[in-house]
Amino acid sequence: MSMLKFASLTSLAAGIMMAAGAAVADPITIKFSHVVAENTPKGQMAIKFQELVEEKLGDQVDVEVYPNSQLYGDDQVLEAMLLGDVQLAAPSLSKFQKYTDQLQVFDLPFLFEDMAAVERFQNSATGVQLLTSLQDKGLIGLGYLHNGLKQLSASEPLRVPEDAAGKKFRIQTSDVLAAQFKAIDAVPLKKPFSEVFILLQTQAIDGQENTYSNIYSQKFFEVQPYITESNHGLIDYMVVSSASFWNGLPEDVRPKVEAALKQALAYGNSIALKENQEAKQAIIDSGKSEIITLTPEQRQQWVEAMKPVWDQFADEIGQDVIDAAVASNEG
Ligand code: SIN
C-alpha cells in the first residue's frame, strides 16, 4: 500500500472514530424541577422549553422536567441548585426571601391592579435589575414567568377582613405574607405547596391563597367550599439557574438554550391569563366551590386592613422599588 493511501485510510478511520465518539458523548443534562401540575402556566412552559431545546440542540442537551415536587419542593430546590443537583427552577417570587429582600416587593398586598401592570413592572428598569438580585448568592435570574393574581379560599365565606380573624391560612415562606394575614388577625402558617391539599382536606387549616390555576390543578376547590375573588396579591415566578452552571455552558450551546428559554417564557406568559380563566370556569362548573364576588366597599375594607404592611417592609425592600412597582399601574 502506498504511503499516500495509508495516510488517507488512517485519517478516514480517525474521522469515523471521532464521529462515533461525538455520537456517544454524554449530553448536557438540565434538570428542571418545579412544584405545580403540568396543566398550569409553569408546567406548560417547562414542557415547551424541553421541546424547544430538543428541536434546537438535538441530543446535545437533555432537558428533564420534574413537576409536582417530584424532585424537590421549593424550599430545597435552590440549595440543590447550588450543589449542582438541579439546573433550572422557577420558584414563586415569594420563595426567595432567604436570598434577597428586594423580591418581597411582589408580595405586597394590593400592589398591582392587574397582570398588565405586573408585566410593565417586570419589564421596567427596576424589574430587570431585580433579576440580578440573587447574583451574590451564586444564582442567576433568567426571566419572569406569570401565573396570576391570588384569590382567598376558605372553609367559610370571607367577605370582609373580620371573617378571616382567628382562622389559619397556609402561606408560602414569606414574612410579607405572614404580616398580611396578621394584619387581619388571622394565623399564617408557612407550609410547602405539596402539603396544602392534605392540610385543607383534614381541616388542619381553614384556608389558603392562590391563583385559580393552582386552586384548580391541585384540587383545593374540592375541599374549600368558598373562594373569595380578592385579586389581592400575585403568584409569579423567576426562572433561575446557578451562575456556575449557566455561565459554564459551552459557547456554542448557551445562546441556543437561552433562545429556547426566551421562547418558552413568551409562550408561558401568553397562556397564563387564559389558563387562570379556564381554571376559574372549571371550578364554577364543578359546583364544588362558590366564588364570592366582593362589592367595591367590601374590597376596600381588605385593602385598608392589609395595606399597612407596605410600610412595615419599605426599608427592607427599598421605597424606590415599591414606588417603581406602584408607577407600573399607570400604564
Ligand atoms: C407555585 O405556583 O409554584 C406554588 C405556589 C405556592 O406555593 O402556593
Side-chain angles (χ1 to χ4, degrees), residues 29-33 41-57 61-65 87-89 142 239-241 245-246 249 253-268:
T29 300
I30 299 181
K31 289 187 188 168
F32 187 164
S33 170
K42 183 159 56 182
Q44 291 296 300
M45 174 266 162
I47 292 169
K48 178 64 84 183
F49 174 67
Q50 183 179 45
E51 288 167 2
L52 288 164
V53 168
E54 159 120 52
E55 202 178 291
K56 289 179 198 297
L57 285 147
V61 177
D62 186 19
V63 176
E64 295 173 3
V65 180
Q87 288 70 38
L88 212 57
L142 298 164
V239 179
V240 286
S241 186
F245 172 77
W246 201 258
L249 284 170
V253 167
R254 194 180 337 109
K256 292 184 186 156
V257 177
E258 278 169 353
L261 185 61
K262 198 170 162 205
Q263 270 176 270
L265 285 174
Y267 172 75

Side-chain angles (χ1 to χ4, degrees), residues 35-36 42 74 92 95 147 170 172 193 210 214 235 237:
V35 299
V36 292
K42 183 159 56 182
D74 278 338
S92 141
K95 292 178 178 162
N147 186 332
R170 175 269 173 173
Q172 302 177 72
F193 188 58
N210 233 302
N214 280 346
I235 292 197
Y237 310 108

Side-chain angles (χ1 to χ4, degrees), residues 26-325:
D26 283 344
I28 297 165
T29 300
I30 299 181
K31 289 187 188 168
F32 187 164
S33 170
H34 69 82
V35 299
V36 292
E38 289 187 330
N39 59 337
T40 59
K42 183 159 56 182
Q44 291 296 300
M45 174 266 162
I47 292 169
K48 178 64 84 183
F49 174 67
Q50 183 179 45
E51 288 167 2
L52 288 164
V53 168
E54 159 120 52
E55 202 178 291
K56 289 179 198 297
L57 285 147
D59 49 17
Q60 262 184 291
V61 177
D62 186 19
V63 176
E64 295 173 3
V65 180
Y66 297 90
N68 286 316
S69 310
Q70 268 167 25
L71 197 56
Y72 292 104
D74 278 338
D75 298 333
Q76 310 100 36
V77 74
L78 297 178
E79 279 161 37
M81 182 170 276
L82 290 170
L83 292 171
D85 293 336
V86 59
Q87 288 70 38
L88 212 57
S92 141
L93 291 161
S94 314
K95 292 178 178 162
F96 289 99
Q97 188 183 295
K98 239 166 92 181
Y99 298 86
T100 173
D101 286 335
Q102 284 190 314
L103 291 178
Q104 296 184 106
V105 67
F106 288 101
D107 280 340
L108 294 178
F110 297 103
L111 177 63
F112 297 108
E113 276 166 22
D114 51 27
M115 290 307 290
V118 174
E119 173 95 6
R120 279 192 292 274
F121 178 57
Q122 292 174 349
N123 289 331
S124 72
T126 308
V128 172
Q129 181 270 323
L130 290 180
L131 287 172
T132 65
S133 60
L134 306 160
Q135 215 162 249
D136 61 343
K137 303 292 185 308
L139 295 168
I140 179 163
L142 298 164
Y144 293 104
L145 173 66
H146 295 322
N147 186 332
L149 296 178
K150 285 185 289 192
Q151 321 304 340
L152 286 165
S153 77
S155 49
E156 286 176 42
L158 305 177
R159 293 194 171 84
V160 291
E162 289 72 31
D163 294 336
K167 296 203 164 47
K168 293 188 198 124
F169 288 86
R170 175 269 173 173
I171 57 163
Q172 302 177 72
T173 48
S174 154
D175 287 349
V176 175
L177 299 181
Q180 168 196 277
F181 278 101
K182 284 183 189 157
I184 53 169
D185 297 323
V187 184
L189 296 166
K190 291 178 182 169
K191 295 284 178 191
F193 188 58
S194 56
E195 290 177 21
V196 182
F197 179 83
I198 195 78
L199 289 168
L200 293 172
Q201 191 186 38
T202 56
Q203 297 182 356
I205 56 172
D206 303 294
Q208 63 86 46
E209 49 168 14
N210 233 302
T211 61
Y212 280 121
S213 165
N214 280 346
I215 293 172
Y216 178 67
S217 57
Q218 296 296 315
K219 303 194 192 311
F220 298 161
F221 71 101
E222 292 189 357
V223 288
Q224 290 273 268
Y226 300 99
I227 300 170
T228 300
E229 186 161 280
S230 49
N231 289 319
H232 66 282
L234 174 73
I235 292 197
D236 261 22
Y237 310 108
M238 190 184 286
V239 179
V240 286
S241 186
S242 83
S244 66
F245 172 77
W246 201 258
N247 296 331
L249 284 170
E251 287 301 318
D252 58 329
V253 167
R254 194 180 337 109
K256 292 184 186 156
V257 177
E258 278 169 353
L261 185 61
K262 198 170 162 205
Q263 270 176 270
L265 285 174
Y267 172 75
N269 286 336
S270 75
I271 62 166
L273 200 57
K274 192 161 155 278
E275 290 268 331
N276 273 288
Q277 283 163 348
E278 285 173 3
K280 175 181 173 181
Q281 193 54 50
I283 293 170
I284 294 170
D285 294 346
S286 77
K288 292 190 171 158
S289 191
E290 180 190 334
I291 294 183
I292 298 172
T293 307
L294 298 174
T295 64
E297 294 75 26
Q298 286 170 336
R299 190 164 191 276
Q300 190 53 30
Q301 289 187 46
W302 290 91
V303 174
E304 279 165 23
M306 288 180 165
K307 226 171 150 179
V309 167
W310 291 27
D311 285 343
Q312 267 174 264
F313 289 88
D315 287 346
E316 278 177 43
I317 295 168
Q319 191 58 50
D320 54 330
V321 175
I322 299 177
D323 291 346

